[in-house]
Amino acid sequence: MTTEIFVSTDIEADGPIPGVYSMLSFGSAAYLPDKTLVDTFSANLETVPDAITHPKTMAWWQTQPEAWAACRQDLQPPEIAMQNYSKWLKALPGQPVFLAYPATFDFMFIQWYLIRFTGESPFAQSGLDIKTYAMAMLKTPYQESSKSQMPDHWFDPGLPHTHVALDDAKEHGALFCNMLAENTRVQTN
């Protein structure tokens, strides 16, 4: 049986969808199910030619000057960053499973960029949404399954949510692994 590697990923963008808008940065933290952090990858990207910015997204960025500065340093062409990312994913010691909070937003950008700039995605269609997993564990409606409703012991102290992609990817990966461990314990008892 192939080991699954949960690739917790966070992206930052200048609009709500890829193609029309650009992914500015992304970070991935690859975790084994036991919360062992295998490796990380992050990149800040040049914007896609002919892409535009979304006014509401850019207004939000004005409230996050430190995160904005962090994602606009050491910019790489998207084709180089995504080729390196694909190689990194393929070198992981197991089958990568995309993981995010919310997965629908982050996966949409990562998948689009991988397909556009490398022609393939090592994730295929494998992805997990942490909020949906929380909904199932908490037995609550989706809208009531936000981080504020999750138990404190699911969160690792010292892993901040900074809107810097790699920081947030690490935070979400540890959160998921803590949830997975609790869910597995409940099922085996």
Side-chain angles (χ1 to χ4, degrees):
M1 184 169 149
T2 304
T3 301
E4 291 180 331
I5 306 284
F6 296 104
V7 183
S8 177
T9 303
D10 184 75
I11 74 102
E12 300 300 336
D14 61 11
I17 59 171
V20 176
Y21 307 101
S22 295
M23 180 165 63
L24 302 174
S25 110
F26 70 100
S28 289
Y31 284 92
L32 294 175
D34 68 2
K35 204 167 69 171
T36 299
L37 180 59
V38 176
D39 201 3
T40 62
F41 185 98
S42 64
N44 293 335
L45 307 176
E46 296 172 357
T47 57
V48 174
D50 300 325
I52 60 174
T53 60
H54 192 279
K56 287 183 181 179
T57 305
M58 297 313 292
W60 178 84
W61 273 117
Q62 289 179 353
T63 70
Q64 305 294 321
E66 291 176 14
W68 176 259
C71 81
R72 298 293 72 210
Q73 298 174 16
D74 304 319
L75 302 180
Q76 299 178 34
E79 55 274 11
I80 300 300
M82 299 318 289
Q83 289 167 11
N84 290 335
Y85 183 54
S86 182
K87 289 176 192 171
W88 178 81
L89 289 166
K90 291 175 182 179
L92 290 172
Q95 177 63 44
V97 176
F98 187 89
L99 176 68
Y101 184 105
T104 53
F105 180 75
D106 298 278
F107 187 77
M108 172 176 47
F109 275 90
I110 290 294
Q111 191 77 341
W112 189 90
Y113 270 72
L114 280 168
I115 299 298
R116 172 154 184 202
F117 295 110
T118 73
E120 65 178 341
S121 173
F123 293 115
Q125 304 301 318
S126 299
L128 284 170
D129 177 57
I130 295 169
K131 187 172 178 176
T132 302
Y133 197 73
M135 173 189 173
M137 287 185 68
L138 296 171
K139 297 177 179 36
T140 56
Y142 183 78
Q143 296 301 327
E144 294 175 23
S145 302
S146 63
K147 288 182 185 176
S148 63
Q149 302 302 314
M150 296 177 189
D152 290 340
H153 67 271
W154 285 0
F155 296 90
D156 279 16
L159 290 178
H161 192 83
T162 63
H163 298 294
V164 172
L166 187 55
D167 289 348
D168 295 357
K170 288 178 183 177
E171 175 210 13
H172 292 150
L175 168 64
F176 173 76
C177 288
N178 292 335
M179 295 166 65
L180 181 63
E182 182 174 309
N183 194 34
T184 302
R185 277 193 307 273
V186 169
Q187 288 179 357
T188 59
N189 290 336

